[in-house]
Amino acid sequence: MSQTSSRASTPGGYPKIPPIITNESDRVFLLDLNDYIEDEIRKVNSEEAEQRYIIYRNAFNKIIEYVTAYKPLLTAIKKEYEFTIDSIRKGQREADYLNGKLKAMASEPSTIRNYKKRADELEERISIIEKDNDKLQQQLQDLRSKRQRREELEREVAEPPKRELKKDRRLIPGLSLEEATDLNLLYKNLDILDRQLKDLNISFRTRYVPKSQKVDFKNKLDTKVNTRDQLLRQGLIYRAKRYRLKIAVEAAQAYNRFKPPHQTVGDAVTFAIAQATGLQVQEKDAAGQEQNQGEGEKRDGSPSAVATTSFEDDDPNKEKEAEMMLEYIEKFNELFEDGKYEEAAIHAANSPKGILRTSATLAKFRAENEDVKVRLSHRSPLLAFCDAIMASVGAVGCKPAGELSTECVECALNENRLDLLSHWISQDRLMLSRQIGDLISGHCGCKVPCKCGCQALAQNVYTKLHLHHQAIICLLKQGRVHAGIEYAKHKSPFTKEMYVEVLRMCPSLQLMHALVAADDQGSRPLPVGVVILTVLENNSFDLVLPFIQELQNRTADDDPNTSLFHDAVLDDMETSTDEWDSLVKILQDQGYEETATNVLSTITVMSAMKTVLYKSLADDRPDSAATQG
């Protein structure tokens, strides 16, 4: 006994420190460490103190990790050294800052002096510019006055002299001198001449026309004939257009009935018109061959005559509507081919009867989206179309179909426009489905808790669809563990298998505590052993150790002398002793002896209590059998 105590302590009373090098592995470790230091110093600049400090720090960390007996002491030494080094660095930074501030304060008088000098120079230049402006203003005023005088002189020269009327002293033809001086006779002759003038004016307007008007009448006649011919040709064009519109309406109606994939309404209409044009050419050739057999047969039996008759029976409103749709599609194709994607998207979103609000149109924008490298208005053509579709929901009065809504959501996620997607969901402009929720939830790449907002959007979608299981998972991924557990208790009760699956999907320390917490009836969602072993499946030891330590440090509500971990282990009837022993071994291997000892003591108490319980049950059974006998 004395010999053992002498080995454990020194003559001074202090514990004896084990030697640093005790075996061959320690010597090999020191040699490897020296080689590591030499190799790293050769790789860096030896004059850089920072790089040499990093090398020796790493070497010191290796010594700490290797020498477990000195680990607390060496860690404390390292901490003091690093604190001292940080203090020196901080002092150096403060010195540099103060040095720069001192230089700035030293140069401040010269800077002010230079600013004042510059201000004087600018004021001098301003005064010079103002003088030049006054001089130029005076010159401009002189030029204006000279120009005004020159214009007045030119105007005086250009005015013609006033014309003086000469008095006619000749006698009036057909009158003598006495008659020419008789006023009454002159008035009578004046009245006669006025009546003759009026008669001549009337005759000029009614009975006679100038010879030049003959040419005008001939030109008007030619114009009327040309107009008639043009109207005839235009009538033929309208008839052909009417035929194309009828084909377009029938093709559009057929497309809406069957909706073939990978084909737009425009493609179907174009194909139908091309096919009908080919049939017309064949009919014209056949009609030309039958022309020799008689005009009557041509009028009565030709396909063109039958088609013309059927055209007259059509509804004009339908033809007008079909013409409007065809023009709308042509306008969309024109905007799309010109690269005006924003205008084309708005045009398609507001199309009549939603003929362009289809997945085929979206596929067309997606194909163009892959080719366009420069984004218009900082967004792609595909996103512009999706945004236009959602913006026109209120005007159209219906939401886009499920497939189109899913593709719009996928586009917004690919463009990382969660703000736009959140606006669509809040304004109820999407035909929600589980696929949309899965897309939003799968887009999240954050660790628990989610910080990007995808899980909150997905939870909103799942809640509206009454998919409570998926909504609870989204709550847990947001870090809202207590809200998720309460939601699970009231909306969608979970089984133990579901809790285990959720723990595997989003493990967290808060979730682990919530799963082992006892409710008012004393029941727990999962046993503590199942929680620990499930988390250890993913080698998440960084969660298991603090979880066990926090449970050991907390006391039970009913017994302050008992820890929560002790109560949780006693309530665990599913975890076997071998599994607890493996957990204790893992804790010991990681170097947490105290935690492992506490777990082992709790397990021992639990095993003893189970043994006593089983023994008492076994003793009670023979007594009850004897009583019955």
Side-chain angles (χ1 to χ4, degrees):
M1 213 41 203
S2 60
Q3 187 178 359
T4 305
S5 62
S6 63
R7 289 179 182 177
S9 61
T10 58
Y14 295 101
K16 185 177 180 181
I17 298 176
I20 297 176
I21 300 175
T22 58
N23 49 33
E24 187 63 26
S25 63
D26 294 343
R27 293 188 181 90
V28 172
F29 170 75
L30 289 177
L31 292 175
D32 292 341
L33 187 62
N34 288 329
D35 294 338
Y36 167 76
I37 294 172
E38 293 176 357
D39 292 340
E40 294 297 326
I41 288 177
R42 282 196 299 270
K43 292 178 182 178
V44 301
N45 188 5
S46 59
E47 296 180 358
E48 292 289 339
E50 181 68 23
Q51 296 181 2
R52 288 189 284 104
Y53 165 69
I54 292 172
I55 294 171
Y56 282 104
R57 185 184 63 185
N58 293 336
F60 197 69
N61 289 334
K62 290 184 178 182
I63 294 174
I64 294 173
E65 294 296 329
Y66 184 79
V67 184
T68 57
Y70 295 93
K71 189 172 183 178
L73 178 61
L74 295 177
T75 302
I77 294 172
K78 177 188 173 187
K79 183 176 180 182
E80 291 297 327
Y81 271 112
E82 290 180 348
F83 178 76
T84 304
I85 292 171
D86 291 340
S87 300
I88 294 172
R89 287 179 176 175
K90 184 177 180 181
Q92 184 65 32
R93 287 194 298 269
E94 291 178 354
D96 294 338
Y97 171 73
L98 294 175
N99 189 17
K101 191 171 182 180
L102 182 62
K103 290 181 179 179
M105 293 176 64
S107 61
E108 185 174 355
S110 61
T111 303
I112 295 173
R113 185 169 58 255
N114 293 333
Y115 282 155
K116 289 182 179 180
K117 184 178 179 182
R118 180 60 177 169
D120 295 338
E121 292 177 355
L122 292 176
E123 289 179 355
E124 184 178 357
R125 291 186 64 182
I126 290 172
S127 62
I128 294 171
I129 291 172
E130 288 178 350
K131 291 179 182 179
D132 292 341
N133 287 339
D134 296 338
K135 185 177 179 181
L136 292 174
Q137 190 71 24
Q138 184 65 32
Q139 293 178 0
L140 180 61
Q141 189 68 27
D142 295 340
L143 290 175
R144 286 178 178 175
S145 60
K146 289 180 180 179
R147 181 179 178 181
Q148 186 175 4
R149 287 195 300 269
R150 185 172 64 252
E151 288 178 353
E152 291 177 354
L153 292 174
E154 291 177 354
R155 190 163 48 253
E156 292 177 358
V157 174
E159 289 181 356
K162 293 183 179 180
R163 189 175 179 180
E164 297 181 358
L165 297 176
K166 295 181 180 180
K167 295 182 179 180
D168 191 3
R169 298 182 182 273
R170 294 176 299 175
L171 295 176
I172 299 175
L175 295 177
S176 62
L177 180 60
E178 292 179 358
E179 293 175 350
T181 56
D182 189 356
L183 292 178
N184 295 326
L185 181 62
L186 290 177
Y187 280 120
K188 290 180 181 179
N189 291 330
L190 180 61
D191 292 336
I192 294 169
L193 292 175
D194 288 336
R195 285 194 299 270
Q196 291 178 356
L197 179 61
K198 289 180 180 179
D199 293 338
L200 289 174
N201 288 330
I202 293 172
S203 299
F204 180 77
R205 289 195 300 269
T206 58
R207 297 178 61 185
Y208 306 103
V209 292
K211 188 177 181 180
S212 60
Q213 287 191 6
K214 182 179 180 180
V215 180
D216 295 338
F217 287 147
K218 186 178 181 181
N219 293 333
K220 288 181 180 179
L221 180 61
D222 294 338
T223 304
K224 295 293 184 181
V225 172
N226 292 332
T227 303
R228 181 200 64 184
D229 296 339
Q230 184 177 1
L231 289 175
L232 291 174
R233 289 192 298 270
Q234 192 172 6
L236 295 176
I237 293 173
Y238 284 159
R239 178 178 291 182
K241 190 173 183 180
R242 187 181 186 183
Y243 177 72
R244 291 199 305 272
L245 289 175
K246 178 179 172 61
I247 297 299
V249 170
E250 293 175 354
Q253 290 175 353
Y255 177 85
N256 289 330
R257 285 196 302 270
F258 299 102
K259 291 186 179 179
H262 308 294
Q263 187 181 18
T264 62
V265 179
D267 297 338
V269 170
T270 305
F271 178 75
I273 291 175
Q275 190 174 8
T277 304
L279 290 176
Q280 275 188 333
V281 173
Q282 295 177 3
E283 291 171 359
K284 287 182 180 179
D285 295 340
Q289 294 176 0
E290 293 176 358
Q291 187 175 4
N292 297 328
Q293 299 177 4
E295 291 293 330
E297 183 180 358
K298 177 183 177 181
R299 285 193 298 268
D300 298 335
S302 65
S304 60
V306 176
T308 305
T309 305
S310 64
F311 293 157
E312 294 175 355
D313 297 334
D314 291 338
D315 187 2
N317 294 327
K318 291 184 178 180
E319 295 177 2
K320 186 176 181 181
E321 182 180 355
E323 182 178 358
M324 182 183 67
M325 289 183 180
L326 187 59
E327 291 178 355
Y328 206 92
I329 294 172
E330 291 176 354
K331 179 66 175 177
F332 167 74
N333 291 330
E334 180 182 351
L335 291 173
F336 195 87
E337 291 173 0
D338 291 342
K340 299 177 181 179
Y341 301 111
E342 294 280 346
E343 298 179 9
I346 297 173
H347 192 78
N350 295 280
S351 58
K353 294 187 177 181
I355 57 174
L356 294 176
R357 294 168 59 89
T358 59
S359 298
T361 308
L362 188 138
K364 190 172 183 178
F365 274 96
R366 179 184 289 112
E368 189 68 18
N369 189 59
E370 296 176 356
D371 298 334
V372 176
K373 302 299 181 183
V374 180
R375 299 295 184 225
L376 303 176
S377 301
H378 304 287
R379 62 177 181 176
S380 64
L382 180 59
L383 184 61
F385 175 70
C386 295
D387 192 14
I389 288 288
M390 298 304 161
S392 62
V393 169
V396 174
C398 63
K399 302 176 185 178
E403 182 180 359
L404 185 59
S405 297
T406 303
E407 291 178 347
C408 290
V409 170
E410 186 176 1
C411 170
L413 291 175
N414 292 334
E415 296 285 340
N416 202 20
R417 289 298 303 274
L418 294 178
D419 55 339
L420 200 60
L421 182 57
S422 176
H423 178 70
W424 295 347
I425 295 174
S426 62
Q427 296 296 323
D428 195 19
R429 295 180 178 178
L430 288 169
M431 187 69 70
L432 298 179
S433 63
R434 178 171 179 176
Q435 186 179 3
I436 291 178
D438 295 341
L439 282 174
I440 299 174
S441 179
H443 184 72
C444 177
C446 308
K447 295 182 179 179
V448 179
C450 172
K451 297 181 180 179
C452 64
C454 290
Q455 298 301 330
L457 288 178
Q459 177 210 339
N460 192 2
V461 173
Y462 290 137
T463 304
K464 291 182 179 180
L465 296 174
H466 302 288
L467 299 174
H468 303 300
H469 182 74
Q470 287 76 13
I472 293 168
I473 294 176
C474 292
L475 282 171
L476 297 179
K477 288 184 178 180
Q478 296 175 58
R480 301 171 60 187
V481 176
H482 294 291
I485 297 298
E486 291 297 324
Y487 191 97
K489 290 179 180 178
H490 295 89
K491 294 288 185 179
S492 177
F494 269 31
T495 61
K496 290 186 177 180
E497 291 76 11
M498 292 181 179
Y499 281 122
V500 171
E501 185 64 26
V502 167
L503 185 60
R504 286 196 182 100
M505 292 176 61
C506 43
S508 66
L509 192 61
Q510 190 178 5
L511 178 60
M512 294 170 69
H513 281 293
L515 291 178
V516 299
D519 55 9
D520 297 336
Q521 289 77 23
S523 60
R524 307 174 191 270
L526 283 180
V528 64
V530 175
V531 172
I532 295 173
L533 294 175
T534 302
V535 175
L536 284 178
E537 290 177 0
N538 298 326
N539 295 325
S540 300
F541 193 78
D542 54 339
L543 294 176
V544 173
L545 181 61
F547 171 67
I548 296 175
Q549 291 177 347
E550 289 179 7
L551 287 180
Q552 290 177 347
N553 294 331
R554 296 180 185 177
T555 58
D557 296 335
D558 53 354
D559 188 2
N561 297 324
T562 305
S563 64
L564 287 178
F565 183 75
H566 183 78
D567 285 352
V569 171
L570 293 180
D571 292 341
D572 186 1
M573 297 299 176
E574 298 183 11
T575 308
S576 63
T577 306
D578 296 336
E579 290 174 340
W580 284 117
D581 292 339
S582 63
L583 176 62
V584 172
K585 188 176 184 306
I586 292 173
L587 293 172
Q588 290 176 347
D589 294 338
Q590 295 293 330
Y592 298 99
E593 295 290 341
E594 184 178 357
T595 305
T597 303
N598 293 333
V599 173
L600 184 59
S601 62
T602 304
I603 297 170
T604 305
V605 173
M606 180 189 67
S607 301
M609 291 179 65
K610 286 183 179 180
T611 302
V612 173
L613 179 62
Y614 292 154
K615 186 176 180 181
S616 62
L617 291 174
D619 293 339
D620 292 340
R621 286 176 183 173
D623 295 340
S624 61
T627 304
Q628 292 176 0

